[in-house]
PDB file of all heavy atoms in Angstrom:
ATOM      1  N   GLY A 137     -55.038 148.496 118.661  1.00  0.00           N
ATOM      2  CA  GLY A 137     -55.351 148.205 119.934  1.00  0.00           C
ATOM      3  C   GLY A 137     -56.352 149.259 120.555  1.00  0.00           C
ATOM      4  O   GLY A 137     -56.739 150.228 119.898  1.00  0.00           O
ATOM      5  N   PRO A 192     -62.864 135.272 128.590  1.00  0.00           N
ATOM      6  CA  PRO A 192     -62.874 136.576 129.132  1.00  0.00           C
ATOM      7  C   PRO A 192     -63.223 136.508 130.674  1.00  0.00           C
ATOM      8  O   PRO A 192     -62.631 137.275 131.466  1.00  0.00           O
ATOM      9  CB  PRO A 192     -63.889 137.409 128.437  1.00  0.00           C
ATOM     10  CG  PRO A 192     -63.953 136.735 127.073  1.00  0.00           C
ATOM     11  CD  PRO A 192     -63.746 135.283 127.314  1.00  0.00           C
ATOM     12  N   GLY A 241     -60.876 128.207 111.631  1.00  0.00           N
ATOM     13  CA  GLY A 241     -60.274 127.012 111.026  1.00  0.00           C
ATOM     14  C   GLY A 241     -61.211 126.559 109.839  1.00  0.00           C
ATOM     15  O   GLY A 241     -62.364 126.734 109.843  1.00  0.00           O
ATOM     16  N   THR A 318     -46.504 128.626  81.077  1.00  0.00           N
ATOM     17  CA  THR A 318     -47.182 129.210  79.902  1.00  0.00           C
ATOM     18  C   THR A 318     -48.356 128.437  79.345  1.00  0.00           C
ATOM     19  O   THR A 318     -49.289 128.999  78.682  1.00  0.00           O
ATOM     20  CB  THR A 318     -46.071 129.478  78.870  1.00  0.00           C
ATOM     21  OG1 THR A 318     -45.489 128.166  78.464  1.00  0.00           O
ATOM     22  CG2 THR A 318     -45.030 130.472  79.323  1.00  0.00           C
ATOM     23  N   PHE A 344     -40.663 113.271  97.192  1.00  0.00           N
ATOM     24  CA  PHE A 344     -41.955 112.729  97.020  1.00  0.00           C
ATOM     25  C   PHE A 344     -42.762 113.728  96.263  1.00  0.00           C
ATOM     26  O   PHE A 344     -43.636 113.381  95.438  1.00  0.00           O
ATOM     27  CB  PHE A 344     -42.516 112.458  98.478  1.00  0.00           C
ATOM     28  CG  PHE A 344     -43.856 111.738  98.433  1.00  0.00           C
ATOM     29  CD1 PHE A 344     -43.949 110.343  98.531  1.00  0.00           C
ATOM     30  CD2 PHE A 344     -44.972 112.410  98.348  1.00  0.00           C
ATOM     31  CE1 PHE A 344     -45.125 109.691  98.539  1.00  0.00           C
ATOM     32  CE2 PHE A 344     -46.224 111.847  98.399  1.00  0.00           C
ATOM     33  CZ  PHE A 344     -46.295 110.371  98.415  1.00  0.00           C
ATOM     34  N   VAL A 440     -30.709 127.947 123.127  1.00  0.00           N
ATOM     35  CA  VAL A 440     -30.827 127.112 124.226  1.00  0.00           C
ATOM     36  C   VAL A 440     -29.926 125.860 124.080  1.00  0.00           C
ATOM     37  O   VAL A 440     -29.861 125.379 122.934  1.00  0.00           O
ATOM     38  CB  VAL A 440     -32.356 126.668 124.402  1.00  0.00           C
ATOM     39  CG1 VAL A 440     -32.466 125.508 125.380  1.00  0.00           C
ATOM     40  CG2 VAL A 440     -33.207 127.770 124.774  1.00  0.00           C
ATOM     41  N   ASP A 632     -69.502 133.707 129.266  1.00  0.00           N
ATOM     42  CA  ASP A 632     -68.032 133.863 129.327  1.00  0.00           C
ATOM     43  C   ASP A 632     -67.626 135.202 128.906  1.00  0.00           C
ATOM     44  O   ASP A 632     -66.670 135.805 129.584  1.00  0.00           O
ATOM     45  CB  ASP A 632     -67.543 132.882 128.299  1.00  0.00           C
ATOM     46  CG  ASP A 632     -65.998 132.651 128.432  1.00  0.00           C
ATOM     47  OD1 ASP A 632     -65.420 133.378 129.064  1.00  0.00           O
ATOM     48  OD2 ASP A 632     -65.489 131.611 127.822  1.00  0.00           O
ATOM     49  N   ALA A 657     -94.292 124.041 123.003  1.00  0.00           N
ATOM     50  CA  ALA A 657     -94.735 124.121 124.487  1.00  0.00           C
ATOM     51  C   ALA A 657     -93.466 124.037 125.376  1.00  0.00           C
ATOM     52  O   ALA A 657     -93.000 123.010 125.505  1.00  0.00           O
ATOM     53  CB  ALA A 657     -95.738 123.179 124.727  1.00  0.00           C
ATOM     54  N   VAL A 686     -86.963 143.887 136.916  1.00  0.00           N
ATOM     55  CA  VAL A 686     -86.188 144.694 135.883  1.00  0.00           C
ATOM     56  C   VAL A 686     -85.498 145.706 136.558  1.00  0.00           C
ATOM     57  O   VAL A 686     -84.206 145.950 136.214  1.00  0.00           O
ATOM     58  CB  VAL A 686     -87.185 145.216 134.816  1.00  0.00           C
ATOM     59  CG1 VAL A 686     -86.457 146.145 133.907  1.00  0.00           C
ATOM     60  CG2 VAL A 686     -87.841 144.054 134.033  1.00  0.00           C
ATOM     61  N   VAL A 723     -95.681 145.865 149.797  1.00  0.00           N
ATOM     62  CA  VAL A 723     -95.299 144.671 149.078  1.00  0.00           C
ATOM     63  C   VAL A 723     -93.946 144.294 149.519  1.00  0.00           C
ATOM     64  O   VAL A 723     -93.042 145.101 149.748  1.00  0.00           O
ATOM     65  CB  VAL A 723     -95.465 144.797 147.591  1.00  0.00           C
ATOM     66  CG1 VAL A 723     -94.425 145.689 147.027  1.00  0.00           C
ATOM     67  CG2 VAL A 723     -95.329 143.423 146.876  1.00  0.00           C
TER      68      VAL A 723
END
Side-chain angles (χ1 to χ4, degrees):
T318 55
F344 188 93
V440 171
D632 192 348
V686 170
V723 68

